[in-house]
Amino acid sequence: MNHSASLSLKNLRQLLKPYYVKNNKRALFIIGMDGVLFWVGQYLVVILPSYLKLIAAVFIGFIIFRLFILAHDASHGSFTTSKRLNYWLAQLAFLPGLTTYQGWSKSHNLIHHGFTNLVTKDDLWRPIGADEYKNLNNLNKFLHKIYRTPLGVFLYYVIEIWAKLLYLPISKEAGSYKNKRFISEFLFITFCFVSWLFALNFIANNTNQSFFVLVFFSVLIPFAVFNGITSFITYFHHNNPNVKWYRNQDEWINSVPHITATVHLRFPEWFNVASHYIMEHPAHHLTSAIPSYNLKAAQRTLEEALPGQILIQDFSWKWYLECTRICKLYDHEKHEWVGFDL
Protein backbone atom coordinates (compact mmCIF):
# COMPACT_ATOMS: atom_id res chain seq x y z
CA MET A 1 0.00 0.00 0.00
CA ASN A 2 1.56 3.34 -1.01
CA HIS A 3 1.06 6.92 0.09
CA SER A 4 -1.85 7.47 -2.28
CA ALA A 5 -3.76 4.90 -0.29
CA SER A 6 -3.47 7.12 2.79
CA LEU A 7 -5.68 9.64 1.00
CA SER A 8 -8.50 7.12 1.28
CA LEU A 9 -8.24 6.79 5.06
CA LYS A 10 -10.89 9.49 5.42
CA ASN A 11 -13.16 7.56 3.08
CA LEU A 12 -12.49 4.29 4.90
CA ARG A 13 -13.37 5.87 8.24
CA GLN A 14 -16.48 7.30 6.66
CA LEU A 15 -17.33 3.80 5.42
CA LEU A 16 -17.08 2.48 8.99
CA LYS A 17 -18.98 5.40 10.53
CA PRO A 18 -22.25 3.42 10.88
CA TYR A 19 -20.39 1.22 13.38
CA TYR A 20 -19.53 4.19 15.61
CA VAL A 21 -23.06 4.03 17.05
CA LYS A 22 -23.01 3.36 20.79
CA ASN A 23 -25.71 1.50 22.66
CA ASN A 24 -25.71 2.54 26.32
CA LYS A 25 -28.07 -0.20 27.45
CA ARG A 26 -26.00 -2.86 25.75
CA ALA A 27 -22.75 -1.42 27.12
CA LEU A 28 -24.05 -1.28 30.70
CA PHE A 29 -25.45 -4.80 30.43
CA ILE A 30 -22.12 -6.18 29.17
CA ILE A 31 -19.99 -4.49 31.82
CA GLY A 32 -22.55 -5.28 34.53
CA MET A 33 -22.53 -8.94 33.52
CA ASP A 34 -18.74 -9.10 33.64
CA GLY A 35 -18.75 -7.38 37.02
CA VAL A 36 -21.18 -9.96 38.38
CA LEU A 37 -19.11 -12.81 36.93
CA PHE A 38 -16.01 -11.40 38.64
CA TRP A 39 -17.69 -11.56 42.05
CA VAL A 40 -19.19 -14.98 41.29
CA GLY A 41 -15.63 -16.19 40.69
CA GLN A 42 -14.50 -14.69 44.00
CA TYR A 43 -17.39 -16.37 45.79
CA LEU A 44 -16.46 -19.71 44.23
CA VAL A 45 -12.86 -19.33 45.44
CA VAL A 46 -14.20 -19.03 48.99
CA ILE A 47 -16.71 -21.89 48.96
CA LEU A 48 -15.03 -24.48 46.73
CA PRO A 49 -12.66 -27.11 48.12
CA SER A 50 -8.96 -26.46 47.55
CA TYR A 51 -8.67 -28.84 44.62
CA LEU A 52 -11.33 -26.87 42.68
CA LYS A 53 -10.24 -23.35 43.61
CA LEU A 54 -7.81 -23.24 40.69
CA ILE A 55 -10.70 -23.46 38.21
CA ALA A 56 -12.36 -20.48 39.84
CA ALA A 57 -9.07 -18.57 39.91
CA VAL A 58 -8.49 -19.06 36.17
CA PHE A 59 -12.09 -18.01 35.54
CA ILE A 60 -11.55 -14.80 37.53
CA GLY A 61 -8.39 -14.07 35.53
CA PHE A 62 -10.26 -14.34 32.25
CA ILE A 63 -13.06 -12.10 33.54
CA ILE A 64 -10.46 -9.50 34.58
CA PHE A 65 -9.22 -9.65 30.98
CA ARG A 66 -12.78 -9.13 29.69
CA LEU A 67 -13.26 -6.15 32.01
CA PHE A 68 -9.92 -4.79 30.85
CA ILE A 69 -11.10 -4.86 27.21
CA LEU A 70 -14.24 -2.93 28.18
CA ALA A 71 -12.10 -0.41 30.09
CA HIS A 72 -9.97 -0.12 26.95
CA ASP A 73 -13.12 0.74 24.98
CA ALA A 74 -14.29 3.24 27.55
CA SER A 75 -10.89 4.96 27.70
CA HIS A 76 -11.13 5.48 23.94
CA GLY A 77 -14.56 7.04 24.50
CA SER A 78 -16.18 4.37 22.34
CA PHE A 79 -18.15 2.41 24.94
CA THR A 80 -21.09 4.70 25.79
CA THR A 81 -22.35 8.07 24.57
CA SER A 82 -21.30 9.82 27.79
CA LYS A 83 -17.72 11.04 28.18
CA ARG A 84 -18.05 11.16 31.96
CA LEU A 85 -19.63 7.69 32.15
CA ASN A 86 -16.88 6.28 29.92
CA TYR A 87 -14.27 7.73 32.28
CA TRP A 88 -15.76 6.20 35.43
CA LEU A 89 -16.55 2.87 33.81
CA ALA A 90 -12.95 2.68 32.61
CA GLN A 91 -11.71 3.42 36.12
CA LEU A 92 -13.88 0.67 37.62
CA ALA A 93 -13.15 -1.92 34.92
CA PHE A 94 -9.39 -1.26 35.12
CA LEU A 95 -9.43 -1.76 38.90
CA PRO A 96 -9.32 -5.61 39.05
CA GLY A 97 -6.27 -5.53 36.75
CA LEU A 98 -4.58 -2.89 38.95
CA THR A 99 -4.27 -0.54 35.99
CA THR A 100 -4.29 3.26 36.14
CA TYR A 101 -6.46 5.13 33.69
CA GLN A 102 -3.78 7.81 33.22
CA GLY A 103 -1.02 5.32 32.53
CA TRP A 104 -3.15 3.42 30.03
CA SER A 105 -4.65 6.40 28.21
CA LYS A 106 -1.24 7.95 27.60
CA SER A 107 0.81 4.84 26.82
CA HIS A 108 -1.92 3.21 24.72
CA ASN A 109 -4.33 5.82 23.37
CA LEU A 110 -1.80 8.57 22.64
CA ILE A 111 1.45 6.74 21.96
CA HIS A 112 0.56 3.25 20.74
CA HIS A 113 -2.35 4.38 18.56
CA GLY A 114 -0.60 7.56 17.51
CA PHE A 115 2.66 5.87 16.49
CA THR A 116 1.83 2.20 15.90
CA ASN A 117 4.95 0.24 14.87
CA LEU A 118 7.24 3.28 14.91
CA VAL A 119 10.10 1.94 17.03
CA THR A 120 11.22 5.36 18.27
CA LYS A 121 7.80 5.91 19.90
CA ASP A 122 5.73 2.73 20.24
CA ASP A 123 6.85 0.57 23.19
CA LEU A 124 4.35 -2.29 22.85
CA TRP A 125 6.25 -5.38 21.69
CA ARG A 126 8.81 -3.10 20.05
CA PRO A 127 11.40 -5.23 18.19
CA ILE A 128 15.05 -4.35 18.52
CA GLY A 129 17.89 -4.70 16.03
CA ALA A 130 21.08 -6.73 16.40
CA ASP A 131 23.18 -3.68 17.36
CA GLU A 132 20.74 -2.62 20.08
CA TYR A 133 20.59 -6.18 21.38
CA LYS A 134 24.40 -6.38 21.62
CA ASN A 135 24.42 -3.21 23.75
CA LEU A 136 21.92 -4.55 26.29
CA ASN A 137 23.18 -5.68 29.67
CA ASN A 138 23.09 -9.40 30.42
CA LEU A 139 19.77 -9.25 32.29
CA ASN A 140 17.95 -7.47 29.48
CA LYS A 141 19.48 -9.79 26.89
CA PHE A 142 18.17 -12.72 28.90
CA LEU A 143 14.71 -11.17 29.25
CA HIS A 144 14.49 -10.31 25.56
CA LYS A 145 15.34 -13.88 24.63
CA ILE A 146 12.76 -15.19 27.09
CA TYR A 147 10.01 -12.87 25.80
CA ARG A 148 10.57 -14.17 22.28
CA THR A 149 9.90 -17.80 23.20
CA PRO A 150 6.50 -19.56 23.11
CA LEU A 151 6.20 -19.59 26.92
CA GLY A 152 8.07 -16.34 27.54
CA VAL A 153 5.48 -14.39 25.52
CA PHE A 154 3.15 -14.71 28.52
CA LEU A 155 5.64 -12.89 30.82
CA TYR A 156 6.23 -9.78 28.72
CA TYR A 157 3.20 -7.66 29.57
CA VAL A 158 3.37 -7.76 33.36
CA ILE A 159 7.08 -6.84 33.40
CA GLU A 160 7.50 -4.44 30.51
CA ILE A 161 4.08 -2.76 30.30
CA TRP A 162 2.07 -3.16 33.51
CA ALA A 163 4.86 -2.62 36.04
CA LYS A 164 6.65 0.11 34.10
CA LEU A 165 3.82 2.09 32.52
CA LEU A 166 0.45 1.25 34.03
CA TYR A 167 0.84 0.88 37.79
CA LEU A 168 4.01 2.44 39.20
CA PRO A 169 4.30 6.19 38.50
CA ILE A 170 7.84 6.17 39.93
CA SER A 171 9.29 4.10 37.08
CA LYS A 172 11.74 5.71 34.67
CA GLU A 173 9.66 4.47 31.73
CA ALA A 174 6.58 6.36 33.03
CA GLY A 175 8.52 9.58 32.37
CA SER A 176 6.15 12.32 31.25
CA TYR A 177 3.15 10.21 32.28
CA LYS A 178 3.73 11.29 35.86
CA ASN A 179 1.13 13.74 37.12
CA LYS A 180 -1.11 14.19 40.15
CA ARG A 181 -3.91 12.11 38.64
CA PHE A 182 -1.55 9.22 37.88
CA ILE A 183 -0.26 9.25 41.46
CA SER A 184 -3.76 9.57 42.96
CA GLU A 185 -4.99 6.65 40.82
CA PHE A 186 -1.97 4.59 41.88
CA LEU A 187 -2.72 5.31 45.53
CA PHE A 188 -6.44 4.53 45.11
CA ILE A 189 -5.75 1.22 43.35
CA THR A 190 -3.22 0.28 46.03
CA PHE A 191 -5.74 1.19 48.75
CA CYS A 192 -8.39 -1.03 47.12
CA PHE A 193 -5.89 -3.87 46.78
CA VAL A 194 -4.86 -3.67 50.43
CA SER A 195 -8.52 -3.43 51.47
CA TRP A 196 -9.24 -6.64 49.56
CA LEU A 197 -6.40 -8.35 51.40
CA PHE A 198 -7.96 -7.31 54.73
CA ALA A 199 -11.33 -8.60 53.49
CA LEU A 200 -9.76 -11.94 52.55
CA ASN A 201 -8.16 -12.14 55.99
CA PHE A 202 -11.58 -11.58 57.56
CA ILE A 203 -13.14 -14.23 55.30
CA ALA A 204 -10.34 -16.69 56.07
CA ASN A 205 -10.81 -16.25 59.84
CA ASN A 206 -14.56 -16.79 59.56
CA THR A 207 -14.41 -19.82 57.26
CA ASN A 208 -11.46 -21.60 58.86
CA GLN A 209 -9.35 -21.30 55.72
CA SER A 210 -5.77 -20.27 55.16
CA PHE A 211 -5.40 -16.58 54.36
CA PHE A 212 -2.48 -17.37 52.06
CA VAL A 213 -4.51 -19.96 50.14
CA LEU A 214 -7.29 -17.44 49.56
CA VAL A 215 -4.81 -14.77 48.43
CA PHE A 216 -3.18 -17.26 46.07
CA PHE A 217 -6.45 -18.23 44.37
CA SER A 218 -8.33 -14.94 44.71
CA VAL A 219 -5.52 -12.53 43.76
CA LEU A 220 -2.26 -14.02 42.53
CA ILE A 221 -3.45 -16.67 40.08
CA PRO A 222 -6.15 -14.40 38.53
CA PHE A 223 -3.65 -11.56 38.14
CA ALA A 224 -1.14 -13.89 36.49
CA VAL A 225 -3.82 -15.29 34.14
CA PHE A 226 -4.99 -11.79 33.19
CA ASN A 227 -1.48 -10.57 32.40
CA GLY A 228 -0.61 -13.76 30.54
CA ILE A 229 -3.67 -13.53 28.30
CA THR A 230 -3.10 -9.82 27.67
CA SER A 231 0.52 -10.47 26.77
CA PHE A 232 -0.49 -13.31 24.43
CA ILE A 233 -3.15 -11.21 22.70
CA THR A 234 -1.06 -8.06 22.26
CA TYR A 235 1.83 -10.12 20.88
CA PHE A 236 -0.33 -11.27 17.98
CA HIS A 237 -1.67 -7.81 17.24
CA HIS A 238 1.71 -6.53 16.05
CA ASN A 239 4.07 -9.51 15.75
CA ASN A 240 3.99 -11.42 12.50
CA PRO A 241 6.67 -12.25 9.93
CA ASN A 242 4.76 -10.04 7.48
CA VAL A 243 4.27 -7.02 9.78
CA LYS A 244 6.82 -4.23 9.31
CA TRP A 245 8.27 -1.89 11.92
CA TYR A 246 9.96 1.43 11.11
CA ARG A 247 12.66 3.75 12.41
CA ASN A 248 12.20 6.45 9.78
CA GLN A 249 9.04 8.45 10.42
CA ASP A 250 8.49 9.45 6.78
CA GLU A 251 8.79 5.84 5.68
CA TRP A 252 6.42 4.87 8.50
CA ILE A 253 3.81 7.44 7.37
CA ASN A 254 4.03 6.24 3.76
CA SER A 255 3.34 2.68 4.93
CA VAL A 256 -0.17 3.75 6.06
CA PRO A 257 0.24 2.11 9.50
CA HIS A 258 -3.46 2.51 10.33
CA ILE A 259 -4.03 -0.36 7.91
CA THR A 260 -0.77 -2.28 7.63
CA ALA A 261 0.65 -2.33 11.16
CA THR A 262 -1.67 -4.87 12.74
CA VAL A 263 -3.07 -8.33 12.13
CA HIS A 264 -6.57 -9.79 12.02
CA LEU A 265 -5.87 -13.06 13.79
CA ARG A 266 -8.86 -15.33 13.32
CA PHE A 267 -9.91 -17.50 16.24
CA PRO A 268 -12.97 -19.74 16.65
CA GLU A 269 -16.13 -17.69 17.17
CA TRP A 270 -16.50 -18.76 20.81
CA PHE A 271 -13.15 -17.11 21.61
CA ASN A 272 -14.07 -13.95 19.71
CA VAL A 273 -17.27 -13.65 21.73
CA ALA A 274 -15.48 -14.45 25.00
CA SER A 275 -12.79 -11.82 24.30
CA HIS A 276 -15.21 -9.06 23.22
CA TYR A 277 -13.93 -9.27 19.61
CA ILE A 278 -10.56 -7.75 20.49
CA MET A 279 -8.90 -9.72 17.66
CA GLU A 280 -10.80 -7.71 15.02
CA HIS A 281 -7.87 -5.36 15.38
CA PRO A 282 -7.27 -3.62 12.04
CA ALA A 283 -10.70 -1.96 12.18
CA HIS A 284 -9.94 -0.81 15.72
CA HIS A 285 -6.63 0.73 14.65
CA LEU A 286 -8.21 2.45 11.67
CA THR A 287 -10.62 4.14 14.08
CA SER A 288 -10.85 3.57 17.81
CA ALA A 289 -14.35 5.12 17.81
CA ILE A 290 -15.95 1.70 17.15
CA PRO A 291 -17.31 -0.08 20.25
CA SER A 292 -16.09 -3.64 20.71
CA TYR A 293 -19.63 -4.93 20.22
CA ASN A 294 -19.58 -3.51 16.66
CA LEU A 295 -16.04 -4.56 15.71
CA LYS A 296 -16.92 -7.85 14.01
CA ALA A 297 -19.19 -6.16 11.46
CA ALA A 298 -16.76 -3.26 11.00
CA GLN A 299 -13.85 -5.62 10.33
CA ARG A 300 -15.88 -7.52 7.75
CA THR A 301 -16.76 -4.27 5.96
CA LEU A 302 -13.12 -3.14 6.01
CA GLU A 303 -11.89 -6.41 4.50
CA GLU A 304 -14.53 -6.22 1.78
CA ALA A 305 -13.41 -2.66 0.96
CA LEU A 306 -9.70 -3.62 0.87
CA PRO A 307 -9.54 -7.15 -0.53
CA GLY A 308 -6.10 -8.66 -0.10
CA GLN A 309 -4.72 -5.59 1.71
CA ILE A 310 -5.52 -6.56 5.30
CA LEU A 311 -3.14 -9.04 6.91
CA ILE A 312 -5.30 -12.00 7.97
CA GLN A 313 -3.96 -15.02 9.82
CA ASP A 314 -5.80 -18.10 11.08
CA PHE A 315 -4.58 -19.06 14.52
CA SER A 316 -3.07 -22.45 15.18
CA TRP A 317 -0.53 -23.57 17.75
CA LYS A 318 1.74 -24.70 14.92
CA TRP A 319 1.64 -21.19 13.47
CA TYR A 320 2.27 -19.70 16.93
CA LEU A 321 5.43 -21.78 17.34
CA GLU A 322 6.55 -20.73 13.88
CA CYS A 323 5.91 -17.05 14.61
CA THR A 324 7.88 -17.11 17.86
CA ARG A 325 10.68 -18.96 16.06
CA ILE A 326 10.98 -16.27 13.39
CA CYS A 327 10.25 -13.04 15.30
CA LYS A 328 13.41 -12.59 17.40
CA LEU A 329 15.36 -9.49 16.28
CA TYR A 330 14.47 -7.05 13.51
CA ASP A 331 16.55 -5.68 10.63
CA HIS A 332 15.10 -2.19 10.19
CA GLU A 333 16.93 -1.60 6.91
CA LYS A 334 15.70 -4.76 5.17
CA HIS A 335 12.42 -4.87 7.12
CA GLU A 336 12.76 -8.51 8.05
CA TRP A 337 13.00 -10.59 11.20
CA VAL A 338 16.33 -12.22 12.00
CA GLY A 339 17.56 -14.65 14.65
CA PHE A 340 19.85 -14.16 17.66
CA ASP A 341 22.66 -16.12 16.00
CA LEU A 342 24.15 -13.21 14.07
Side-chain angles (χ1 to χ4, degrees):
M1 188 177 289
N2 56 36
H3 181 64
S4 63
S6 67
L7 300 176
S8 68
L9 288 178
K10 182 178 180 180
N11 292 334
L12 287 172
R13 289 179 176 131
Q14 188 66 29
L15 180 68
L16 299 187
K17 200 167 184 179
Y19 305 110
Y20 292 12
V21 176
K22 304 169 186 68
N23 185 322
N24 288 355
K25 289 182 179 179
R26 185 175 183 180
L28 292 174
F29 173 79
I30 293 170
I31 200 168
M33 180 182 70
D34 280 357
V36 169
L37 290 175
F38 172 80
W39 289 111
V40 167
Q42 295 290 352
Y43 177 71
L44 291 174
V45 162
V46 173
I47 67 167
L48 288 176
S50 296
Y51 63 89
L52 292 178
K53 289 186 188 296
L54 179 60
I55 298 173
V58 172
F59 174 76
I60 295 169
F62 193 79
I63 296 304
I64 293 174
F65 169 68
R66 281 173 57 90
L67 285 166
F68 179 81
I69 294 170
L70 300 182
H72 159 264
D73 261 25
S75 73
H76 277 301
S78 61
F79 194 53
T80 76
T81 58
S82 168
K83 183 177 180 180
R84 178 171 293 185
L85 182 59
N86 281 328
Y87 172 78
W88 286 110
L89 288 176
Q91 292 277 16
L92 289 173
F94 274 141
L95 191 55
L98 303 179
T99 297
T100 59
Y101 178 92
Q102 292 297 314
W104 176 262
S105 63
K106 292 185 178 180
S107 66
H108 179 81
N109 297 357
L110 296 181
I111 295 178
H112 175 62
H113 272 267
F115 302 96
T116 307
N117 289 27
L118 181 64
V119 295
T120 56
K121 298 282 188 179
D122 188 4
D123 285 327
L124 184 62
W125 282 109
R126 179 180 71 89
I128 62 175
D131 290 341
E132 185 177 353
Y133 175 76
K134 290 175 183 177
N135 290 328
L136 295 177
N137 60 40
N138 289 335
L139 174 60
N140 284 326
K141 282 182 179 178
F142 172 76
L143 286 175
H144 191 78
K145 280 191 172 182
I146 290 295
Y147 296 151
R148 294 288 172 175
T149 64
L151 292 179
V153 164
F154 294 89
L155 298 175
Y156 171 85
Y157 187 85
V158 68
I159 298 172
E160 298 298 332
I161 303 299
W162 178 81
K164 293 181 178 180
L165 298 175
L166 305 181
Y167 178 66
L168 296 173
I170 60 174
S171 67
K172 179 181 71 174
E173 286 77 9
S176 61
Y177 302 176
K178 299 174 188 176
N179 55 45
K180 290 182 180 179
R181 284 190 176 182
F182 192 170
I183 294 172
S184 65
E185 287 174 10
F186 161 74
L187 292 174
F188 174 71
I189 288 172
T190 304
F191 170 78
C192 291
F193 174 70
V194 173
S195 298
W196 183 236
L197 294 182
F198 276 104
L200 288 175
N201 185 58
F202 176 81
I203 293 169
N205 290 334
N206 284 274
T207 57
N208 296 316
Q209 298 187 67
S210 165
F211 166 71
F212 297 103
V213 168
L214 287 184
V215 169
F216 184 73
F217 289 112
S218 171
V219 178
L220 297 182
I221 291 296
F223 188 69
V225 169
F226 154 65
N227 277 285
I229 295 172
T230 306
S231 199
F232 180 76
I233 293 299
T234 55
Y235 175 82
F236 286 122
H237 284 164
H238 304 285
N239 281 264
N240 184 289
N242 296 312
V243 167
K244 294 181 180 181
W245 286 72
Y246 298 88
R247 278 181 176 164
N248 181 282
Q249 191 157 343
D250 289 334
E251 187 181 12
W252 170 76
I253 291 172
N254 287 333
S255 75
V256 197
H258 307 84
I259 300 296
T260 63
T262 187
V263 182
H264 177 200
L265 189 64
R266 295 193 296 201
F267 281 87
E269 183 63 11
W270 69 264
F271 183 83
N272 290 328
V273 173
S275 60
H276 293 311
Y277 293 100
I278 194 62
M279 302 313 295
E280 316 288 334
H281 213 56
H284 171 67
H285 263 271
L286 177 60
T287 170
S288 59
I290 302 172
S292 57
Y293 45 83
N294 291 338
L295 272 177
K296 180 181 179 180
Q299 181 65 34
R300 183 170 59 247
T301 298
L302 180 62
E303 290 174 7
E304 290 172 354
L306 297 173
Q309 297 184 59
I310 303 296
L311 182 54
I312 302 171
Q313 175 68 54
D314 291 321
F315 176 79
S316 71
W317 290 108
K318 180 181 179 181
W319 176 82
Y320 173 57
L321 294 175
E322 181 69 4
C323 187
T324 54
R325 183 187 67 81
I326 294 173
C327 298
K328 301 295 188 183
L329 299 174
Y330 196 75
D331 186 326
H332 293 92
E333 300 300 322
K334 296 181 180 178
H335 289 299
E336 63 184 23
W337 292 91
V338 295
F340 289 114
D341 52 342
L342 294 177

